[in-house]
Amino acid sequence: MNAFRAEGFALPTFPMRKDQRPVAVVIGSGFGGLAAAIRLSVMGYRVEVLEKNEAPGGRACAFGQDGFTFDAGPTIITAPFLLEELWQLCGRRFADDVTLVPMDPYYRVRFHDGSWFDYNGDPEHMRREVARFSPEDLPGYERFMQEAELCKRLGFEGMGAMAFDRLTDLIKVIPDFLRMGAWRSIHARVARHFRSEKLRTVMSFHPLLIGGNPFAVTAAYALINALERTWGVHSALGGTGAIVKGMVGLLQERGVPVRCNTPVTRIRIAQGRAVGVELESGAFVGADLVVSNGDTAWTYRHLVAPEHRRVWTDRKIEGGKYSMGLFVWYFGTSRRWDEVPHHMMVLGPRYKGLLHDIFKRHHLSEDFSLYLHRPSATDPGVAPPGCDTFYALSPVPHLDSGTDWASFGETYRERIAQALESSVLPGLRQHIVTSHIRTPQTFHDRLWSFKGAGFGLEPLLTQSAWFRPHNRSEDIPGLYMVGAGTHPGAGVPGVLMSAKALQSVVPHVHREP
């Protein structure tokens, strides 16, 4: 099968104009990096984006193979106003460049016994679905959603774009953390309101979408349930890569270059502050400030020399708790499965035990659960006529498991194919016409993700807000962080809000004439 190709980009090289604006270099072109570049450009900085790989997007980079188009990573868009805001800053309309399609259901959660729950934002539909599984849990559902709404207001709206720059920033919001019951896990919060184990799973799985174990991450992440009900779940026609392409277009219009195949190997520190970056080619790019959209653990561990790191020492980085790894199988088929929705969770026989193996034991189990993405359900253009585009994502341990993915990857892929064929995609294997896999090793090698973790540091309470790597580096003046590994965390809304938090801590300058 043909090697994959980056999808939809022909990036011109812009000469950097000779002017007096301060220079900002952004390392990485994921959603967080591109959003940061847009905001910094509007603030008056002369911005340059440096991307390690062959096309922009980071984890959100799209690729094509054998006539099929695949989103490599994020597929779920909620809180679209955060994207619309970026276009508005540039005097443009998001809808002119990207078409979002609302999802219904948001997800189908299919249990191992073949039953399923269709999850969406319609309160009446949700009540019917809850009652179908456990009528006695209806009052608990109402109470849980009230608590989720409180968490959305206090956690997302109140803290999402707030840079926890000083200890006093944390102290100010401790009462809100207490009101959210943030010391509990999200599963513990859900279990207080639901007796049905299936409903406990349906209402608590969301943190897995941002790299967290529902049995360990803070109950404040109930905000995701309310976030989705308020703003919906959407998909972009052309895939998430269409949003990346639109953001790059905004930067091109502003004269901001996005230089691909340009790995940064060192952040140069002089007289105690970041003064630019050194490239794999040996070149040096000077800057007044450096913004890393790379994995924060990787950035500190590999791009900043140890003598400059008082807070984020090697020992602290190694001692962090990291999100799970991801095994992703991208495949195209010669037929369609129109009964399969756009987003489906295909659950295995275990929930808590499987997550314990992944997050605590770092053990690759025989069983697994899957997120099955079928974008051709909404956008037939991502597959040839009469065909389907899929990816199947299996949460797995990060590289501390010791799994040799180079030799075991194809075996694991075949297990997934068998599981899908025996459940939701009958006859699958005889219709596969293109295939590609990515593993935690891919995340380590291609995306420079520490331990091959899919989402950086796990969003535990003790690794959130002020305890997470700060948007303004605690160690190095002139160095800043955006993306999944800093505040507020992973997920498309999170990384976009990290760029808003960045804007509150970088020096302001006059816009260019």
Side-chain angles (χ1 to χ4, degrees):
M1 297 180 182
N2 296 337
F4 74 86
R5 58 181 170 79
E7 191 71 13
F9 289 98
L11 297 174
T13 301
F14 289 91
M16 298 301 281
R17 300 186 314 199
K18 294 182 179 179
D19 59 34
Q20 299 303 309
R21 289 178 295 161
V23 175
V25 167
V26 178
I27 305 170
S29 63
F31 277 135
L34 295 175
I38 291 167
R39 290 182 178 277
L40 290 168
S41 174
V42 171
M43 289 175 69
Y45 284 89
R46 182 156 56 99
V47 184
E48 186 168 7
V49 182
L50 306 177
E51 167 58 45
K52 171 183 177 288
N53 292 312
E54 72 283 346
R59 288 168 172 78
C61 182
F63 67 92
Q65 182 170 291
D66 297 326
F68 296 82
T69 299
F70 299 96
D71 282 326
T75 61
I76 295 167
I77 303 299
T78 189
F81 69 88
L82 293 169
L83 291 163
E84 293 165 357
E85 191 174 272
L86 296 173
W87 265 254
Q88 291 166 3
L89 288 171
C90 299
R92 297 280 307 281
R93 292 178 68 249
F94 175 72
D96 290 339
D97 291 333
V98 181
T99 300
L100 292 184
V101 179
M103 297 287 96
D104 190 9
Y106 295 169
Y107 326 95
R108 174 168 292 167
V109 182
R110 183 190 185 276
F111 297 97
H112 193 60
D113 64 6
S115 62
W116 70 77
F117 186 110
D118 278 348
Y119 190 109
N120 74 7
D122 176 18
E124 285 304 317
H125 167 86
M126 289 294 287
R127 291 183 188 107
R128 288 193 299 270
E129 287 290 270
V130 168
R132 194 162 59 83
F133 280 82
S134 178
E136 62 271 23
D137 280 333
L138 275 169
Y141 169 70
E142 302 294 347
R143 292 193 302 270
F144 171 69
M145 290 308 300
Q146 289 173 3
E147 292 182 3
E149 186 66 29
L150 176 68
C151 291
K152 183 197 76 174
R153 181 165 57 84
L154 298 179
F156 180 79
E157 297 173 359
M159 302 182 199
M162 173 184 178
F164 283 83
D165 205 38
R166 299 175 178 84
L167 183 58
T168 52
D169 296 329
L170 174 65
I171 293 170
K172 289 176 185 176
V173 298
I174 285 176
D176 288 342
F177 275 111
L178 294 174
R179 291 179 68 192
M180 290 189 289
W183 65 90
R184 296 189 183 95
S185 73
I186 181 63
H187 189 273
R189 159 164 275 159
V190 168
R192 294 174 65 208
H193 299 298
F194 297 89
R195 293 183 179 181
S196 164
E197 286 297 332
K198 288 182 176 179
L199 292 180
R200 289 176 175 182
T201 299
V202 166
M203 300 299 167
S204 70
F205 80 87
H206 291 79
L208 286 163
L209 302 176
I210 57 171
N213 178 358
F215 292 88
V217 302
T218 169
Y221 281 106
L223 66 86
I224 301 175
N225 303 70
L227 193 72
E228 291 180 342
R229 186 164 76 170
T230 301
W231 287 293
V233 168
H234 309 265
S235 290
L237 290 185
T240 309
I243 302 174
V244 173
K245 187 175 181 180
M247 295 174 78
V248 171
L250 293 179
L251 291 171
Q252 288 179 344
E253 291 172 2
R254 299 189 62 79
V256 175
V258 180
R259 295 171 54 188
C260 295
N261 297 307
T262 310
V264 171
T265 55
R266 181 68 76 183
I267 297 169
R268 185 178 292 184
I269 315 297
Q271 296 181 333
R273 65 175 293 111
V275 296
V277 298
E278 300 171 14
L279 308 182
E280 189 175 68
S281 65
F284 171 70
V285 180
D288 295 283
L289 60 87
V290 175
V291 179
S292 178
N293 180 217
D295 178 75
T296 51
W298 188 283
T299 296
Y300 279 120
R301 182 68 176 81
H302 296 289
L303 302 189
V304 178
E307 61 267 25
H308 301 300
R309 293 187 271 116
R310 175 182 51 84
V311 176
W312 291 100
T313 61
D314 290 355
R315 181 177 179 180
K316 183 169 181 175
I317 293 167
E318 293 287 347
K321 298 184 188 306
Y322 292 86
S323 65
M324 73 282 201
L326 302 174
F327 181 97
V328 193
W329 175 32
Y330 309 88
F331 59 99
T333 63
S334 59
R335 59 154 286 193
R336 291 177 60 83
W337 278 266
D338 287 323
E339 68 279 9
V340 175
H342 193 121
H343 302 292
M344 180 187 280
M345 310 300 165
V346 184
L347 303 183
R350 298 186 301 150
Y351 185 48
K352 184 176 183 179
L354 176 62
L355 295 175
H356 183 77
D357 284 348
I358 292 170
F359 284 92
K360 302 295 185 182
R361 297 180 62 210
H362 307 305
H363 168 71
L364 184 65
S365 304
E366 290 290 323
D367 60 318
F368 46 76
S369 289
L370 302 171
Y371 160 51
L372 183 65
H373 179 227
R374 180 180 171 248
S376 43
T378 302
D379 184 3
V382 299
C387 300
D388 259 340
T389 292
F390 291 95
Y391 84 46
L393 181 153
S394 174
V396 296
H398 57 57
L399 291 177
D400 278 1
S401 72
T403 304
D404 182 357
W405 286 108
S407 61
F408 189 67
E410 182 58 25
T411 299
Y412 198 75
R413 185 207 64 78
E414 178 60 21
R415 288 183 185 175
I416 291 173
Q418 291 174 1
L420 290 173
E421 186 169 85
S422 65
S423 56
V424 297
L425 301 177
L428 168 63
R429 284 177 291 180
Q430 64 182 307
H431 292 287
I432 297 169
V433 294
T434 193
S435 178
H436 177 72
I437 64 172
R438 292 186 178 178
T439 74
Q441 194 64 54
T442 314
F443 277 72
H444 179 277
D445 298 344
R446 177 178 171 81
L447 298 172
W448 282 354
S449 178
F450 193 69
K451 296 180 182 284
F455 303 89
L457 286 164
E458 188 182 357
L460 304 169
L461 181 60
T462 53
Q463 295 184 156
S464 298
W466 186 80
F467 300 105
R468 206 164 181 81
H470 293 187
N471 302 102
R472 172 162 47 191
S473 172
E474 306 96 303
D475 284 321
I476 303 152
L479 176 62
Y480 301 84
M481 303 288 167
V482 293
T486 186
H487 176 73
V492 176
V495 299
L496 293 175
M497 291 189 85
S498 75
K500 292 189 73 171
L502 168 78
Q503 193 170 1
S504 71
V505 291
V506 296
H508 283 253
V509 294
H510 294 295
R511 298 186 186 188
E512 71 271 28

